[in-house]
């Protein structure tokens, strides 16, 4: 399959470079989205802490599930990288597919523990509409989870193609895997920042 | 649908301007039928469709403005109810900003001209380009939907807490519509950045690019960096409106001023999304129509980038009266003044280009000169608003309304109309009626100044903006301003008439009617489907010494033998 057949750029290598630059710019756009929400979180927290109204009486802190999900997402980033290195070395489709299957499992695990964290908090009666403490937690984790969910269809496609041995060692022959890996590492990095911010925010003052 | 575009037709595109009169196939007649347009991947067709959308939106937004001005012609109720008035001024602002000015130059003229200026067949990602056009249409549908659901009266700025509590039913659809339009704008910007980085032809270094491309490039960077901030902010407002809780709600300890910070972090750079492409057009118009090498090329190019950078550091000057700390106010005020430097650099370089040029006073050039005049007024009145103590008096008065109309309409839109006249023969292969063009420009220029210069006086006398009713002492100013808006409207309707008429009965346009030197003047008018058979080699696109008039062509031709840098059509493909 040729890379981006509509492109007016004749040379495949240059076409790939153009696509990679495009993905970078798109990730910068998404980074601005997350940066805005994080700035909002920090500003509102600082203001509410100084008014002593940040964390409501008896509200739960950061649920333990988030620590597990953080480890899972980190691991999934690692397995994606392993799949890509395997492809670059020219390893068999089974090997790269195996790593990508592991990524699928880890991604599912991440979302499972995020959902568990949400239900845990709701069971402890921290509801969306009660305080900005809760509102911000749900909006920020929800926004990130939404982006992970959007990554699942490409993840499925890339995994299937890896198993079929569709990716070769040449950079132009595994472009799809490269783009997915860029997106996935990005979500991983965003989550790490978000986790630290939430950890800081879960303290009452 | 791709088969339509990539259909294997024999390539009869002819690169050099010479012999452009023959029955050459062009992008307009390449394939037929509505589907071949709606799903086209051709940047030229996408640009033309954007142009149609932008001009229809301009008509609608303009009619809203006329209703608002007519209501204000006399104090008290004139033609509409106060609540209807609130809807109309809001709609005027939202339509003009999000559907007209922001997409006007980059998405329509930029899409059409940018790849041709680069000697390329298309933008880097044609399918993404089509996708962003479809997003634009969907966003526009949501704006129309919000109208049907009762409209919205928040002002185009959607300030909280009013936007989360007002009873009008169209707020959520319009927020969603603007969100989608934002992504349309982001993808267009992304496409342009990649295209400029990766697809410049051999010989075109960064500092050989036409200045229009520098402007579009700087604009695209702002689109990519600032628009996502608006998108997520409007989503947060939407969530807040739906659940009646959010970070902008003071009742729960949220901060409405935080909304203003987020909003202006986008919307101030957005002002430069509007003005920078217009400045790019003016740079090219001034050079081409005075047939003189642009003066201070590097300074104009760098000043575009400088304006793009400054644009991110001045948003707080919209909030001097919001309770922002005195220290922040002082810092924002100081940085605001510094924007004057790159802006003035451009003005002085344009004036220096005109000096001793052989100036052709045709319609595009008149718009360019009009731009310099109006932008100077718009820019200098900005200094009164950037100065803290005068701004406290002038804030939220008609002075502000007049100032931003001088910049957004008198400059950005006038630049767009000038560019439209400049590239119209290229886009449609027809010349418009030059006499009517000059008359229409005169009407627009006089009408504009009568409408908005009066508003500087209104504002400095204390007339607040957005008001439905006013004290009788303001009546004469409002009356004059409204009459001016009618004159301006007459000018625009006349423009619409002769441009449309030119499509049917206009004289056939030569490849190079103005004596331009950049690549778009070296393919036929209208350009062939593939723009260029092979990637052309370029020289200095502001060196007009090799351009000469040819009676035979009824247009200008480029004398290639005079320029050692460009071999006659022996351009090598690949780059």
């Amino acid at each position: 399959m040729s890379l981006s057949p509509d492109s007016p750029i004749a040379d495949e290598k240059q076409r790939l470079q153009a696509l990679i630059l495009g993905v970078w710019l798109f990730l910068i756009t998404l980074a601005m989205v997350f940066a805005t929400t994080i700035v909002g979180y920090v500003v509102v927290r600082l203001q509410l802490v100084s008014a002593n109204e940040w964390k409501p009486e008896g509200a739960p802190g950061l649920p333990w599930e988030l620590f597990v999900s953080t480890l899972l997402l980190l691991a999934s980033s690692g397995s994606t990288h392993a799949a890509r290195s395997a492809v670059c070395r020219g390893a068999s489709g089974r090997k790269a597919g195996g790593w990508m299957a592991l990524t699928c499992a880890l991604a599912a695990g991440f979302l499972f523990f995020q959902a568990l964290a949400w239900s845990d908090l709701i069971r402890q009666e921290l509801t969306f509409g009660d305080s900005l403490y809760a509102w911000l937690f749900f909006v920020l984790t929800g926004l990130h989870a939404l982006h992970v969910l959007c990554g699942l269809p490409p993840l499925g496609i890339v995994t299937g193609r890896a198993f079929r041995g569709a990716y070769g060692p040449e950079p132009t022959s595994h472009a799809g895997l490269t783009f997915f890996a860029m997106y996935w590492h990005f979500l991983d990095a965003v989550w790490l920042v978000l986790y630290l911010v939430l950890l800081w925010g879960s303290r009452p003052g | 649908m791709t088969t339509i575009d990539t259909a294997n037709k024999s390539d009869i595109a002819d690169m050099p301007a010479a012999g452009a009169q023959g029955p050459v196939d062009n992008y307009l007649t390449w394939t037929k039928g509505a589907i071949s347009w709606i799903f086209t991947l051709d940047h030229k067709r996408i640009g033309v469709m954007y142009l149609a959308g932008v001009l229809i939106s301009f008509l609608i937004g303009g009619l809203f403005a006329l209703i608002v001005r007519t209501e204000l012609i006399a104090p008290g109720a004139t033609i509409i109810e106060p609540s209807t008035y609130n809807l109309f001024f809001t709609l005027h602002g939202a339509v003009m900003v999000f559907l007209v000015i922001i997409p006007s130059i980059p998405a329509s003229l930029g899409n059409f001209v940018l790849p041709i200026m680069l000697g390329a067949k298309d933008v880097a990602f044609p399918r993404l380009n089509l996708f962003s056009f479809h997003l634009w249409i969907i966003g526009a549908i949501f704006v129309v939907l919000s109208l049907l659901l009762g409209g919205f009266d928040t002002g185009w700025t959607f300030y909280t807490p009013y936007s989360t509590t007002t009873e009008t039913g169209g707020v959520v659809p319009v927020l969603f519509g603007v969100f989608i339009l934002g992504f349309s704008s982001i993808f267009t910007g992304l496409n342009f950045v990649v295209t400029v980085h990766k697809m410049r032809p051999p010989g075109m270094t960064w500092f050989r690019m036409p200045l229009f491309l520098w402007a579009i490039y700087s604009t695209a960077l702002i689109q990519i960096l600032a628009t996502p901030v608006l998108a997520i902010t409007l989503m947060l407002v939407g969530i807040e409106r739906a659940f009646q809780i959010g970070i902008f709600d003071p009742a729960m300890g949220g901060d409405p001023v935080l909304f203003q910070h987020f909003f202006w972090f986008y919307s101030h750079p957005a002002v430069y999304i509007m003005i920078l492409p217009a400045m790019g057009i003016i740079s090219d118009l001034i050079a081409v129509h005075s047939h003189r090498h642009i003066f201070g090329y590097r300074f104009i190019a760098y000043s575009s980038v400088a304006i793009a950078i400054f644009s991110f550091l001045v948003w707080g000057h919209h909030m001097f009266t919001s309770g922002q700390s005195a220290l922040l106010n002082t810092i924002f005020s100081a940085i605001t003044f510094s924007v004057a430097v790159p802006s003035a650099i451009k003005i002085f370089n344009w004036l220096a280009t005109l000096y001793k040029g052989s100036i052709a006073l045709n319609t595009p050039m008149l718009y360019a000169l009009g731009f310099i005049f109006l932008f100077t007024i718009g820019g200098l009145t900005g200094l009164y608003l950037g100065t803290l103590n005068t701004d406290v008096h002038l804030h939220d008065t008609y002075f502000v309304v007049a100032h931003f109309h001088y910049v957004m309409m008198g400059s950005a839109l006038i630049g767009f109309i000038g560019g439209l006249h400049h590239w119209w023969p290229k886009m449609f292969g027809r010349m418009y009626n030059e006499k009517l063009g000059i008359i229409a420009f005169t009407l627009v220029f006089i009408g504009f100044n009568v409408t908005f210069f009066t508003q500087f006086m209104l504002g400095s006398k204390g007339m607040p903006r957005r008001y439905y009713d006013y004290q009788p002492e303001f009546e004469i100013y409002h009356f004059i301003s409204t009459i001016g808006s009618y004159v301006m409207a007459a000018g625009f309707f006349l423009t619409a008439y002769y441009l449309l008429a030119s499509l049917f009965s206009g004289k056939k346009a030569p490849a190079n009617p103005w004596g331009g030197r950049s690549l778009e003047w070296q393919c036929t008018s209208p350009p062939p489907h593939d723009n260029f058979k092979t990637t052309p080699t370029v020289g200095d696109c502001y060196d007009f010494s090799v351009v000469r008039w040819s009676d035979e062509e009824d247009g200008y031709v480029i004398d290639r033998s005079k320029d050692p840098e460009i071999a006659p059509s022996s351009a090598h493909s690949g780059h």
Side-chain angles (χ1 to χ4, degrees):
Chain A
M1 195 191 81
S2 88
L3 195 61
S4 170
D6 309 313
S7 173
I9 304 173
D11 181 60
E12 274 236 316
K13 272 192 192 129
Q14 292 190 9
R15 208 181 281 184
L16 177 65
Q17 281 174 2
L19 283 163
I20 286 177
L21 178 61
V23 175
W24 269 115
L25 294 173
F26 182 62
L27 293 182
I28 290 173
T29 297
L30 289 185
M32 291 303 290
V33 167
F34 284 107
T36 308
T37 52
I38 288 172
V39 167
Y41 186 95
V42 171
V43 168
V44 170
R45 180 176 185 271
L46 289 177
Q47 288 186 355
L48 285 181
V49 162
S50 60
N52 235 342
E53 287 171 3
W54 168 241
K55 196 170 168 183
E57 198 81 18
L62 211 58
W64 61 271
E65 290 93 339
L66 290 190
F67 183 67
V68 180
S69 65
T70 305
L71 293 180
L72 291 175
L73 194 64
L74 267 174
S76 77
S77 217
S79 61
T80 307
H81 182 72
R84 198 165 160 261
S85 323
V87 165
C88 287
R89 281 195 314 271
S92 69
R94 266 193 54 205
K95 194 153 189 188
W99 281 117
M100 284 317 290
L102 181 60
T103 307
C104 290
L106 291 167
F110 171 79
L111 286 171
F112 175 74
F113 276 94
Q114 294 297 88
L116 213 60
W118 273 33
S119 71
D120 219 19
L121 289 177
I122 292 166
R123 211 168 334 106
Q124 293 178 60
E125 291 177 347
L126 186 81
T127 44
F128 187 68
D130 281 353
S131 61
L132 287 183
Y133 174 73
W135 192 93
L136 277 165
F137 176 84
F138 286 114
V139 167
L140 262 66
T141 52
L143 185 70
H144 181 266
L146 197 68
H147 284 81
V148 174
L149 279 173
C150 289
L152 292 186
L155 173 59
I157 294 168
V158 166
T159 306
R161 289 176 56 79
F163 263 117
R164 284 203 308 277
Y167 296 129
E170 281 297 305
T172 47
S173 61
H174 60 260
L177 182 59
T178 306
F179 303 148
F180 172 77
M182 289 169 76
Y183 181 67
W184 204 254
H185 294 325
F186 167 77
L187 287 185
D188 190 27
V190 167
W191 174 253
L192 281 181
V193 175
L194 211 53
Y195 182 68
L196 291 176
V197 170
L198 292 172
L199 205 60
W200 167 75
S202 66
R203 298 181 311 155
Chain B
M1 46 194 102
T2 33
T3 49
I4 297 164
D5 267 282
T6 51
N8 221 358
K9 279 204 177 185
S10 63
D11 201 351
I12 40 175
D14 196 13
M15 195 194 73
Q21 300 288 6
V24 182
D25 203 346
N26 68 56
Y27 79 99
L28 292 167
T29 54
W30 175 254
T31 47
K32 291 210 161 29
I35 295 293
S36 78
W37 278 82
I38 296 169
F39 295 107
T40 182
L41 297 181
D42 183 352
H43 68 98
K44 298 183 286 303
R45 286 191 170 189
I46 292 172
V48 168
M49 289 193 291
Y50 265 120
L51 181 64
V54 164
L55 291 177
I56 291 167
S57 307
F58 181 52
L59 173 66
I60 295 169
L63 291 177
F64 290 148
L66 287 178
I67 293 170
V68 168
R69 276 308 335 154
T70 306
E71 168 56 45
L72 290 171
I73 198 166
T78 313
I79 51 166
I80 46 177
E81 294 292 303
S83 56
T84 326
Y85 171 83
N86 288 347
L87 295 183
F88 278 126
F89 85 69
T90 300
L91 283 166
H92 163 68
V95 167
M96 286 301 199
V97 168
F98 295 113
L99 287 173
V100 181
I101 308 180
I102 288 177
S104 64
I105 299 173
S108 68
L109 299 179
N111 242 324
F112 191 95
V113 174
L114 176 134
I116 311 183
M117 276 184 166
L118 291 171
K121 292 188 198 310
D122 213 314
V123 290
F125 311 125
R127 199 165 287 275
L128 184 67
N129 198 20
L130 176 66
F131 180 60
S132 42
F133 174 67
H134 289 169
L135 281 180
W136 189 87
I137 292 288
I138 296 168
I141 288 171
F142 271 98
V143 175
V144 173
L145 191 71
S146 80
L147 270 176
L148 302 178
L149 291 171
F152 50 104
D153 61 353
T154 59
W156 76 276
T157 51
F158 306 112
Y159 268 23
T160 55
Y162 188 70
S163 57
T164 53
T165 49
T166 172
E167 312 256 299
T168 45
V171 177
V172 170
V174 79
L175 289 176
F176 198 60
V178 172
F179 177 81
I180 295 173
L181 291 171
F183 273 89
S184 163
S185 173
I186 288 170
F187 289 136
T188 302
L190 188 156
N191 227 330
F192 288 175
V193 169
V194 176
T195 309
V196 169
H197 267 278
K198 300 290 179 189
M199 294 177 66
R200 276 172 291 118
M204 191 185 281
T205 57
W206 280 92
F207 291 101
R208 281 257 177 104
M209 292 201 301
L211 286 161
F212 180 56
L213 294 188
W214 268 104
I216 288 277
Y217 177 79
S218 311
T219 308
L221 290 180
I222 308 177
Q223 285 174 301
I224 290 169
L225 284 171
T227 317
V229 177
L230 176 78
I232 187 66
T233 304
L234 294 185
M235 281 298 101
L236 293 178
V237 172
I239 295 171
E240 180 161 338
R241 193 175 160 84
F243 295 94
Q244 288 302 314
I245 171 173
I247 52 170
F248 307 130
D249 179 7
M252 294 294 292
D255 187 356
V257 177
L258 182 64
F259 171 83
Q260 297 185 24
H261 278 291
F262 283 168
F263 182 82
W264 289 113
F265 184 82
Y266 164 75
S267 290
H268 194 80
V271 175
Y272 297 100
I273 292 179
M274 305 174 198
I275 192 75
L276 271 175
M279 289 170 159
I281 287 182
I282 300 308
S283 303
D284 277 11
L285 257 54
I286 295 274
V288 171
H289 295 277
S290 56
H291 304 278
R292 193 159 177 276
H293 195 290
I294 190 84
F295 188 87
Y297 175 96
R298 275 182 191 246
F299 279 97
I300 298 182
Y302 280 132
S303 65
S304 288
V305 180
I307 289 174
I309 294 168
F310 279 131
S311 76
F312 285 98
L313 305 172
V314 298
W315 79 89
H317 69 212
H318 295 269
M319 299 165 59
F320 286 157
T321 60
S322 70
Q324 190 171 252
S325 78
L327 176 66
L328 266 183
N329 278 350
T330 313
I331 293 169
F332 277 124
S333 175
I335 307 175
T336 300
F337 287 136
S338 58
V339 181
V341 175
S343 308
I345 285 176
K346 282 180 191 288
I347 297 275
F348 291 134
N349 280 304
W350 291 330
L351 294 179
T353 307
L354 287 170
Y355 180 65
K356 286 189 174 170
S358 78
I359 297 167
L361 279 179
N362 49 29
T363 316
M365 188 57 165
L366 288 174
Y367 277 100
L369 297 175
F371 177 100
I372 294 181
F373 185 83
L374 298 176
F375 179 71
T376 304
I377 295 178
L380 290 177
T381 50
L383 296 177
Y384 293 82
L385 297 170
T387 309
L388 288 170
N389 45 6
T390 43
D391 182 68
V392 171
H393 172 66
L394 296 171
H395 183 79
D396 264 350
T397 68
Y398 265 75
F399 193 92
V400 178
V401 177
H403 161 69
F404 73 70
H405 276 90
Y406 264 86
V407 179
M408 288 158 80
M409 185 179 184
S411 312
L413 204 91
I414 289 294
F416 167 63
I417 305 277
L420 184 63
H421 282 85
H422 184 66
W423 284 303
W424 184 269
K426 182 53 64 184
M427 295 175 99
F428 300 105
R430 301 285 181 167
M431 302 301 291
Y432 46 83
N433 186 323
E434 187 64 41
K435 270 199 193 104
L436 290 181
I438 291 169
I439 294 171
F441 166 78
T442 313
L443 288 174
V444 168
F445 186 77
I446 293 174
F448 179 88
N449 283 299
V450 171
T451 308
F452 292 110
F453 203 84
T454 323
Q455 295 185 4
F456 282 124
M457 298 181 230
L458 260 180
S460 52
K461 287 181 187 296
M463 170 80 204
R465 66 192 282 201
R466 301 202 183 94
Y467 278 27
Y468 171 78
D469 198 2
Y470 50 82
Q471 299 295 319
E473 70 251 36
F474 294 128
E475 185 172 1
I476 181 68
Y477 298 102
H478 273 296
F479 180 79
I480 294 170
S481 182
T482 302
I483 297 302
S485 72
Y486 295 156
V487 175
M488 195 166 29
F492 282 124
F493 278 115
L494 180 60
T495 309
Y497 161 73
Y498 69 74
L499 285 183
L500 286 175
S502 78
L503 294 180
F504 302 101
S505 55
K507 191 168 73 91
K508 250 189 155 33
N512 191 353
W514 316 120
R517 172 69 205 273
S518 44
L519 285 174
E520 80 271 27
W521 305 111
Q522 296 174 39
C523 60
T524 50
S525 303
H529 175 73
D530 281 336
N531 303 343
F532 298 97
K533 205 173 187 175
T534 51
T535 310
T537 314
V538 289
D540 180 354
C541 67
Y542 292 105
D543 175 16
F544 297 103
S545 63
V546 297
V547 179
R548 64 173 173 81
W549 177 261
S550 151
D551 280 333
E552 198 181 315
E553 292 286 329
D554 200 19
Y556 289 86
V557 291
I558 292 171
D559 197 344
R560 283 165 180 278
S561 59
K562 275 195 190 165
D563 190 340
E565 283 187 82
I566 42 170
S569 66
S570 69
H572 35 95
S573 57
H575 44 120

